[in-house]
Amino acid sequence: MSASPLLLAKIVWRDPLTDAVQEFVLAEGATATIGRLDTSDICIHEQHVSRQHAVIQYRDGVFLVSDLGSANGVFVNGARINEPFPLISGDEIRLFVPALHFFALASVEDVVNATQHGTVITAVVGTGSGRLIVTNGPQEGSPIPLLRPTLTIGRASPRADWEICLQDPSVSRPHARLQSVESAWIVYDLGSANGTFVNGTPVNEKGRALRDGDVLTFGSTVTLFREG
């Protein structure tokens, strides 16, 4: 029998439509997307919230929050963030208007309530498959399944012959490559003019292995990598 995941933190916010307090419990390794879309792990129907606004991801013992190219930004304790920001207990995450509160401990009562309401968010099990989700720009919301072991990413044009075409003039022709290696995805930059970034860190020709919840930026296009 496998061990139950460690439940490490919780997110608390007040629903702007119903005024009800909502609580989500985060397990070790969890990735939680936040946005106006019903498919978001934490869905907030508020006009200032982008359809795909932010993501909280677990990395090396810490939960970090990242902006997904939202229209109105992500603020932690009143300061706008431009790169992944490590959260500590008591931090306020504000999506321009709605505010969420992060706590580093979840009580037994919290876990019981979240389990009953289906608001426990656990880690995704890696299977070697994956997808990119465009989170801003003209292709926002478009899922891009990674169906081949090697895929080239570049600007959409009449002569484009790469597998993933992005409608973004700041994307090079071609721009980057994704490759599946031993059930993991690796992204490589192909000498693009404006760079390829993972969680705000530039990627070079040597590549960068991806993990669930990583934010990939190609030119001005922001995408979210999801396992499975």
Side-chain angles (χ1 to χ4, degrees):
M1 181 180 296
S2 60
S4 298
L6 293 175
L7 303 176
L8 301 179
K10 69 176 179 177
I11 298 289
V12 180
W13 60 283
R14 189 175 295 276
D15 191 310
L17 295 180
T18 66
D19 204 39
V21 174
Q22 305 284 338
E23 293 189 2
F24 287 78
V25 171
L26 306 179
E28 181 180 17
T31 294
T33 56
I34 308 170
R36 209 170 66 242
L37 285 178
D38 290 334
T39 53
S40 300
D41 296 308
I42 300 176
C43 177
I44 303 178
H45 290 293
E46 205 279 339
Q47 62 179 345
H48 297 93
V49 177
S50 295
R51 289 182 289 179
Q52 298 173 102
H53 200 113
V55 61
I56 295 174
Q57 56 185 166
Y58 183 83
R59 291 290 179 267
D60 302 321
V62 177
F63 284 102
L64 303 100
V65 62
S66 302
D67 194 342
L68 290 176
S70 64
N72 292 313
V74 176
F75 301 77
V76 177
N77 302 327
R80 187 166 186 169
I81 65 168
N82 296 307
E83 57 186 26
F85 189 92
L87 296 169
I88 62 173
S89 192
D91 279 347
E92 179 190 73
I93 305 166
R94 187 161 54 83
L95 311 183
F96 193 72
V97 172
L100 303 90
H101 295 88
F102 175 85
F103 298 96
L105 292 174
S107 68
V108 173
E109 183 180 0
D110 294 332
V111 173
V112 170
N113 289 336
T115 302
Q116 290 175 344
H117 291 90
T119 55
V120 175
I121 301 174
T122 58
V124 173
V125 177
T127 62
S129 59
R131 67 191 186 282
L132 294 180
I133 304 171
V134 181
T135 63
N136 71 338
Q139 293 167 274
E140 181 185 353
S142 300
I144 304 171
L146 308 181
L147 301 177
R148 298 183 180 182
T150 301
L151 302 106
T152 302
I153 301 167
R155 188 194 316 168
S157 68
R159 296 185 179 181
D161 60 356
W162 25 87
E163 292 80 14
I164 299 175
C165 294
L166 299 176
Q167 298 171 20
D168 179 352
S170 68
V171 170
S172 296
R173 300 177 291 183
H175 193 106
R177 184 175 75 251
L178 285 165
Q179 188 167 352
S180 177
V181 179
E182 296 180 352
S183 298
W185 283 96
I186 300 176
V187 61
Y188 303 88
D189 186 72
L190 297 178
S192 64
N194 293 307
T196 300
F197 298 82
V198 175
N199 301 328
T201 301
V203 176
N204 57 27
E205 69 281 356
K206 295 182 180 179
R208 166 81 177 264
L210 300 178
R211 294 189 286 181
D212 184 55
D214 280 346
V215 180
L216 283 74
T217 305
F218 308 99
S220 299
T221 299
V222 181
T223 67
L224 178 68
F225 172 75
R226 297 308 310 262
E227 288 264 19

